[in-house]
Amino acid sequence: PPLLLGEGLVKTYPDGDVRALRGVSIAVAPGEFMAITGPSGCGKSTLLHLLGGLDRPSAGEVVFRGRPLSDLDLDSYRASEVGFVFQAFHLIPTLTALENVQVPMFAAGIPVGDRAGRARRLLEEVGLSHRAGHPPRRLSIGERQRVAIARALANGPSLLLADEPTGNLDSASQREILDLLSRLRADRGVTLVIVTHSAEVAAEADREIRLRDGLVVG
Ligand code: ADP
Ligand code: ADP
């Protein structure tokens, strides 16, 4: 059975009367790496937000492990089952790398005494133990995205949702991040859904879903 299903997803934004999604159905298998591609404005980010429970569909349903999100506690779904990675990292500038990785642990109720050790192991997993005490401004752009990936893994999610994760990176850093993501998939069995403009990223995926004007076209 699929890990995640989108069934007939429609999203209309109230302001501007935009139909961002017009009936999108997709199935994501456990452990799969899926790329979502398409021109700017075709609904990729909207789809990712619905899959991650950041926003609700106007019609249709997202189903996780056989249960509709509308029946689940969305806060605990977002905190424990899904890790989010963004193009712009969204790290907190006044916190160190180690502290940034601990941020999602509050929402999941990880005991205070366990957080730092857990964050250290995650930084080690992304190859940044030696940067634990640095704030984001003292890290390279590629290192910032690795911290953001460690943060996305903070609560052991089954699913990583990434919106243009390599959009700000040069090609060498993009390669590093892609290698890191495939290693995490192999080691943890984490499922990857990545919105991307990059043909190189899409070529690495098991499957590419192409959107156009709010519909799946390939
Ligand atoms: P993509 O990620 O493919 O660039 P988006 O999902 O961001 O596409 O946007 C799809 C459409 O929905 C676009 O026309 C965009 O302008 C519109 N849109 C996205 N977010 C909002 C919002 N919060 N309010 C109104 N319109 C939005
Ligand atoms: P990108 O860097 O891909 O452009 P955005 O800055 O557009 O990403 O963020 C995508 C959406 O997700 C925004 O609507 C933002 O409010 C929301 N968002 C960002 N970080 C979080 C988070 N940690 N938890 C929940 N929603 C978030």
Side-chain angles (χ1 to χ4, degrees):
L3 181 70
L4 190 68
L5 276 176
E7 296 181 326
L9 295 173
V10 174
K11 180 66 185 180
T12 308
Y13 288 108
D15 44 322
D17 213 15
V18 178
R19 296 237 291 162
L21 296 177
R22 301 189 292 148
V24 167
S25 297
I26 60 165
V28 187
E32 180 171 25
F33 174 2
M34 177 185 282
I36 299 175
T37 62
S40 197
C42 69
K44 302 182 296 295
S45 296
T46 299
L47 176 58
L48 206 68
H49 293 171
L50 297 185
L51 295 177
L54 296 178
D55 203 354
R56 291 180 168 285
S58 312
E61 186 68 85
V62 174
V63 179
F64 178 75
R65 293 193 199 283
R67 296 184 61 197
L69 289 197
S70 52
D71 288 356
L72 296 177
D73 172 18
L74 269 191
D75 287 334
S76 84
Y77 173 69
R78 281 189 300 249
S80 304
E81 301 289 358
V82 188
F84 294 99
V85 178
F86 301 98
Q87 179 173 359
F89 321 131
H90 296 302
L91 297 172
I92 299 176
T94 52
L95 300 183
T96 64
L98 190 72
E99 290 163 345
N100 267 287
V101 174
Q102 293 173 67
V103 167
M105 296 180 191
F106 293 81
I110 308 278
V112 178
D114 295 347
R115 290 177 194 161
R118 200 170 162 136
R120 273 185 204 290
R121 286 192 294 279
L122 288 164
L123 284 178
E124 194 181 335
E125 201 174 338
V126 301
L128 284 182
S129 296
H130 57 303
R131 295 279 192 260
H134 290 201
R137 68 172 183 284
R138 296 192 46 213
L139 301 173
S140 73
I141 301 291
E143 287 173 340
R144 288 176 209 176
Q145 193 58 302
R146 284 197 271 158
V147 174
I149 290 169
R151 176 186 60 187
L153 296 172
N155 300 322
S158 45
L159 185 62
L160 272 189
L161 301 181
D163 198 346
E164 295 281 3
T166 64
N168 282 335
L169 306 181
D170 61 36
S171 60
S173 310
Q174 167 165 298
R175 189 66 258 163
E176 267 181 37
I177 294 297
L178 273 177
D179 290 345
L180 172 60
L181 291 172
S182 26
R183 185 159 53 77
L184 293 170
R185 192 159 76 113
D187 293 353
R188 295 171 163 260
V190 72
T191 303
L192 292 175
V193 180
I194 296 186
V195 164
T196 187
H197 276 114
S198 158
E200 193 189 346
V201 175
E204 209 119 325
D206 300 322
R207 223 147 42 103
E208 176 181 352
I209 300 292
R210 287 203 197 93
L211 295 186
R212 193 179 182 99
D213 293 336
L215 290 171
V216 175
V217 293

